[in-house]
Amino acid sequence: MKPPLNLAKESDVNAIGFTVTRPEDHKQRTLEKMAELRDSMRSLMVMLETCTKCGNCAQQCHSYLGTGDYNNFPAARAELMRRVYKRYFTTAGKMFGRFNGAEEFDEETLSKWVTYFYQCNECRRCARYCPFGIDTAEVTIAARHILSELGIMPKFMQSIASAMIKSGNNMGISKLACLDCVEFMEEEMQEETGLDIKIPVDKPNSDILYVPSSADFFTNVDTMIGVAKMFHHLGVNWTIPSSVLEAANFGLLFNLDVMREQNQRLNAAALELGASLVVQGECGHGWRAAKMYTEGASGPVPFKIMHVLEYCDEHLHELPLRKLPMKVTLHDPCNYSRGGGIIEQPRRIIRACVEEFVEMTPTGADNFCCGGGSGLLMDEMLEIRMQLGKKKAEQIKALGQIDYLAIPCSICKAQIPTVMKHYGLEGFEKGGVMDLVGKAMIYDKPEEE
Amino acid sequence: MSFIAVEGKQVELDEDGFLVEPSDWNEAIVSIFAKSEDVEELTEEHWKVINYLREYFKKFGMAPMVRKMCKDTGLTLKQIYELFPTGPAKGACKLAGLPKPTGCV
Ligand code: SF4
Ligand code: SF4
């Protein structure tokens, strides 16, 4: 069985500091890594022991619904690891082997791990509907971590990790390139507003460190512009760090040590520039990684971490906003609405910026993933990605005509337009929530004719 | 990873069919890549974008912001998609010999 994604070759794996385990040692190394995780991720083992196969989660997983593949049924996916756990870590498994639903670890199992743990979007929707709260995303995170420790990782993840090592961001943006992008965005804002709105880079003694998504420096320019306009209006002392031009943290999506390194880069940048507040840009999983793991990676930190949508929501009444004549809906990024504490803030912001806001169904904490979650943006997975996005397309279709689909996460921003096109849903704009703030800001142009 | 023969020389491509070595780029490669990226005929406008991307990459080591590319070439995003149906990050970068943009694109 050949996994549907391109795996990184050995020289690339080595280039980011990993080694490739020989096939004859796969089993031993996997069991070692599982034993490590058993001790560090206690919740994982509870999840591996508890499932009663009630089937509740099946209809709640867009991955299973979209692909129709049994192994994408959350309990079946988790079972790929559970069987190995039972065989080698429980008394019954050790004594009776296969009789207890336990399974020998072999290359076939390994190849299924690669295939199906990279068809889980880590969206955590299954956990909401499981009577025991079993969160298959945690099993997926553990499995991807173990795979990467064997030297098995998608080329897509490897190339991002490599760019992160070189530049601190996913796209490999150097400081020189960052400054050029900033200059361009400042010119754009000057042309539009007549004001000298700055995006300060590496400014020492800043109160606020704003961490954008690197994609805002390539495709999602309006998100960065919206944020700059907000900070400008509020008159705060802020900067962006060229060393961590990245709210994302793909480590969470394939290797937990890589995640900690990125957390530490963030920590170092905040300390260096003296910020007491770190504001994270529009990125779903990066929010989870920053909020939940920065202190874990670096110990107690002398700054507070907020999401830009929380920050904007808190200051909403101070911003001069007019309502744009638009009908807008919101796609809740999974990492905001399920455990990320961000549900109402984007709604309040959007309502302040546009005339009509409509909810898709289901929404908020029950929303369906876009199908790109956990970094499944590989070109070679396009067909599967479209199946993973099927539920999202159905949700948008049910709304009828809209003008704008707000998607405040860079992975969703990359995945959703392709999904919409694939399912023939066009004729509306797609972009961030901060983009709307930027567009709704009222400016009295000094040289107004 | 694979190789293509260009004017008698073996040129290495990555998993996504992009050049591994940007310095391997030449005009013959553009015609070969054009086919796989749904570009039927290479026009002056294609070359304008390709040359612009190469210049920018030489200076900054990455592809320019999509909006900057539009502004500097005088083309709308729609026109860029008409020229390069697989998009600015894929088709245009590939023909210009740039590495595939990584990250959330
Ligand atoms: S986390 Fe999401 S994609 Fe993964 S099994 Fe659960 S519902 Fe499915
Ligand atoms: S809902 Fe929970 S207990 Fe039921 S099959 Fe799914 S994971 Fe197992």
Side-chain angles (χ1 to χ4, degrees):
Chain A
M1 178 181 189
K2 191 189 169 300
L5 40 74
N6 294 337
L7 295 175
K9 59 178 193 284
E10 183 161 3
S11 56
D12 290 334
V13 169
N14 295 340
I16 61 163
F18 284 74
T19 47
V20 173
T21 304
R22 298 296 137 218
E24 57 272 26
D25 300 324
H26 277 164
K27 177 171 143 188
Q28 195 202 337
R29 179 122 173 112
T30 302
L31 298 181
E32 277 166 27
K33 288 289 149 189
M34 274 182 85
E36 269 176 41
L37 291 177
R38 177 190 52 190
D39 300 332
S40 62
M41 275 174 92
R42 299 295 310 178
S43 59
L44 174 71
M45 295 307 147
V46 176
M47 286 171 201
L48 290 181
E49 281 167 4
T50 320
C51 176
T52 58
K53 313 274 177 345
C54 71
N56 272 7
C57 52
Q59 294 305 312
Q60 308 303 337
C61 171
H62 65 285
S63 167
Y64 174 58
L65 295 175
T67 61
D69 187 329
Y70 173 76
N71 285 308
N72 281 327
F73 156 39
R77 189 190 320 280
E79 194 70 13
L80 294 172
M81 184 182 280
R82 185 173 292 123
R83 286 199 290 258
V84 177
Y85 172 76
K86 280 196 176 160
R87 169 68 183 80
Y88 298 99
F89 292 89
T90 62
T91 318
K94 283 186 211 159
M95 285 173 67
F96 306 115
R98 279 178 180 269
F99 290 111
N100 193 32
E103 189 163 302
E104 296 292 329
F105 188 83
D106 54 16
E107 290 301 298
E108 178 63 23
T109 310
L110 193 68
S111 141
K112 278 192 184 151
W113 278 30
V114 180
T115 302
Y116 294 107
F117 287 119
Y118 279 101
Q119 285 182 39
C120 167
N121 288 115
E122 300 181 3
C123 76
R124 300 173 195 269
R125 197 170 190 274
C126 48
R128 273 184 77 75
Y129 297 88
C130 170
F132 305 102
I134 294 176
D135 184 351
T136 304
E138 291 290 319
V139 181
T140 297
I141 289 174
R144 291 187 185 184
H145 176 78
I146 294 170
L147 287 169
S148 65
E149 290 291 322
L150 301 179
I152 302 171
M153 60 187 76
K155 176 72 175 76
F156 183 76
M157 300 294 178
Q158 184 279 336
S159 51
I160 286 177
S162 163
M164 264 164 60
I165 292 170
K166 278 185 222 133
S167 63
N169 63 72
N170 290 358
M171 299 202 67
I173 306 171
S174 64
K175 180 157 183 179
L176 186 72
C178 164
L179 292 173
D180 184 66
C181 294
V182 160
E183 190 186 310
F184 174 75
M185 290 189 276
E186 289 176 347
E187 271 167 31
E188 291 277 289
M189 290 188 283
Q190 161 79 37
E191 276 170 32
E192 188 208 330
T193 67
L195 298 174
D196 197 14
I197 301 173
K198 290 275 176 241
I199 301 178
V201 181
D202 296 334
K203 188 158 88 45
N205 305 318
S206 293
D207 300 327
I208 298 176
L209 186 75
Y210 178 68
V211 186
S213 161
S214 61
D216 298 356
F217 282 66
F218 188 59
T219 35
N220 311 320
V221 186
D222 282 319
T223 306
M224 185 66 242
I225 286 183
V227 173
K229 286 178 172 176
M230 170 184 73
F231 283 138
H232 174 85
H233 183 83
L234 296 174
V236 292
N237 176 19
W238 71 292
T239 193
I240 57 170
S242 66
S243 61
V244 198
L245 207 62
E246 189 59 87
N249 189 340
F250 268 59
L252 177 62
L253 313 177
F254 89 103
N255 183 274
L256 299 170
D257 298 320
V258 171
M259 177 188 76
R260 282 179 206 111
E261 282 164 24
Q262 186 72 358
N263 281 131
Q264 270 153 6
R265 275 186 205 110
L266 172 65
N267 187 34
L271 293 179
E272 193 193 320
L273 298 167
S276 54
L277 175 64
V278 169
V279 176
Q280 284 276 120
E282 293 191 356
C283 168
H285 78 278
W287 170 235
R288 181 175 294 275
K291 185 178 146 113
M292 312 252 187
Y293 301 103
T294 301
E295 296 225 310
S298 311
V301 290
F303 50 82
K304 193 175 154 195
I305 298 184
M306 270 181 110
H307 192 276
V308 69
L309 298 179
E310 292 178 320
Y311 182 90
C312 180
D313 177 49
E314 271 188 14
H315 295 273
L316 203 53
H317 59 283
E318 299 166 54
L319 299 174
L321 300 168
R322 78 198 132 116
K323 289 191 189 242
L324 304 165
M326 288 175 135
K327 181 175 171 184
V328 176
T329 190
L330 170 73
H331 161 71
D332 290 278
C334 308
N335 283 298
Y336 293 171
S337 67
R338 279 186 280 277
I342 300 178
I343 295 182
E344 288 309 320
Q345 301 90 329
R347 289 171 166 76
R348 282 194 288 266
I349 299 171
I350 295 172
R351 285 200 182 95
C353 293
V354 304
E355 281 174 3
E356 193 181 354
F357 172 69
V358 283
E359 291 279 9
M360 57 181 83
T361 316
T363 186
D366 290 314
N367 193 26
F368 278 107
C369 172
C370 66
S374 77
L376 298 187
L377 293 174
M378 304 85 178
D379 279 343
E380 70 273 17
M381 293 242 320
L382 202 62
E383 204 182 313
I384 292 170
R385 283 169 49 200
M386 294 308 108
Q387 293 169 352
L388 299 179
K390 191 162 167 250
K391 268 279 152 195
K392 184 54 44 186
E394 289 169 9
Q395 284 187 282
I396 304 293
K397 190 164 183 209
L399 289 176
Q401 184 57 43
I402 51 167
D403 300 307
Y404 189 92
L405 168 57
I407 354 179
C409 161
S410 285
I411 289 182
C412 311
K413 281 171 185 160
Q415 161 82 349
I416 287 184
T418 320
V419 170
M420 294 301 124
K421 197 164 167 221
H422 179 84
Y423 290 99
L425 297 165
E426 286 182 280
F428 54 92
E429 278 184 74
K430 303 132 199 115
V433 168
M434 291 310 295
D435 310 34
L436 290 175
V437 174
K439 287 175 184 156
M441 291 272 275
I442 301 164
Y443 289 102
D444 302 315
K445 264 197 177 185
E447 78 280 48
E448 198 89 62
E449 56 268 51
Chain B
M1 190 189 46
S2 59
F3 288 87
I4 49 164
V6 186
E7 295 172 336
K9 194 179 162 243
Q10 289 292 99
V11 171
E12 192 181 351
L13 304 181
D14 71 5
E15 289 81 351
D16 296 301
F18 283 59
L19 287 185
V20 170
E21 274 307 321
S23 59
D24 280 339
W25 184 89
N26 61 34
E27 300 197 354
I29 287 177
V30 179
S31 314
I32 298 173
F33 283 172
K35 292 195 190 78
S36 61
E37 298 303 314
D38 306 333
V39 176
E40 274 172 27
E41 199 197 329
L42 283 160
T43 63
E44 220 171 279
E45 302 235 288
H46 287 99
W47 283 106
K48 183 158 92 182
V49 174
I50 290 170
N51 291 329
Y52 170 73
L53 286 174
R54 292 190 57 77
E55 276 303 307
Y56 192 91
F57 182 75
K58 218 163 52 189
K59 244 164 113 182
F60 297 106
M62 69 174 291
M65 297 174 105
V66 176
R67 187 175 302 167
K68 186 172 164 69
M69 179 193 315
C70 293
K71 206 172 181 186
D72 289 350
T73 58
L75 297 162
T76 63
L77 188 58
K78 191 163 166 273
Q79 286 171 315
I80 299 220
Y81 269 98
E82 279 160 14
L83 293 171
F84 301 96
T86 54
K90 198 163 171 272
C93 284
K94 183 169 166 184
L95 265 67
L98 271 54
K100 186 172 194 289
T102 52
C104 301
V105 290

